[in-house]
Amino acid sequence: MNKTPELLPCPFCGEEAELVRHECGFYVECTCCAIISPADSLEASIKFWNARVYQPEVQAAIDLYTPKKPLNQFKRYGKQRGYCPSCDRILDDQFSDIACRCGQRLDWSDHD
């Protein structure tokens, strides 16, 4: 059984999107603002909807806002430590629990 690929949120309002079957094929529609992708095959509609091209400055801001796990994590003096994936600054989970000074959001969870 093939699993339908995940749809990214709407690029305009950020709400969820849904796949709609139509007489001409499939299209993806935002559940909030009703923006749709062109009707085409299932794969083409999903690929079109999920394709995002941002200006470099916008992509850099998105990358910083997306939480990343600190690199090379280890425990020392009872604190979880690691290195910022963006600037290589050494961090610990007590003082850098949400973000590094460079702005990179952090994810200290043990889950992969």
Side-chain angles (χ1 to χ4, degrees):
M1 182 177 192
N2 290 347
K3 182 180 177 186
T4 303
E6 183 178 336
L7 295 171
L8 293 175
C10 176
F12 300 102
C13 71
E15 294 296 319
E16 291 185 14
E18 63 185 2
L19 189 62
V20 179
R21 187 180 188 110
H22 187 265
E23 59 194 34
C24 298
F26 291 90
Y27 63 90
V28 178
E29 181 177 19
C30 173
T31 58
C32 179
C33 66
I35 296 295
I36 63 171
S37 69
D40 205 342
S41 70
L42 173 68
E43 295 81 15
S45 293
I46 292 170
K47 184 177 180 180
F48 181 86
W49 182 266
N50 286 342
R52 307 292 165 95
V53 179
Y54 298 108
Q55 293 179 349
E57 300 83 13
V58 174
Q59 187 61 53
I62 291 169
D63 291 343
L64 281 177
Y65 190 76
T66 304
K68 294 181 184 169
K69 291 191 174 295
L71 304 174
N72 302 322
Q73 290 189 42
F74 60 96
K75 273 204 180 272
R76 187 167 186 190
Y77 305 118
K79 297 178 188 171
Q80 189 69 23
R81 295 179 182 249
Y83 294 89
C84 176
S86 294
C87 70
D88 293 327
R89 179 176 280 125
I90 191 161
L91 307 165
D92 67 53
D93 61 352
Q94 180 180 0
F95 296 109
S96 306
D97 61 338
I98 298 172
C100 179
R101 280 191 247 163
C102 72
Q104 177 64 58
R105 301 280 187 232
L106 301 170
D107 175 10
W108 288 97
S109 69
D110 293 331
H111 308 293
D112 289 332

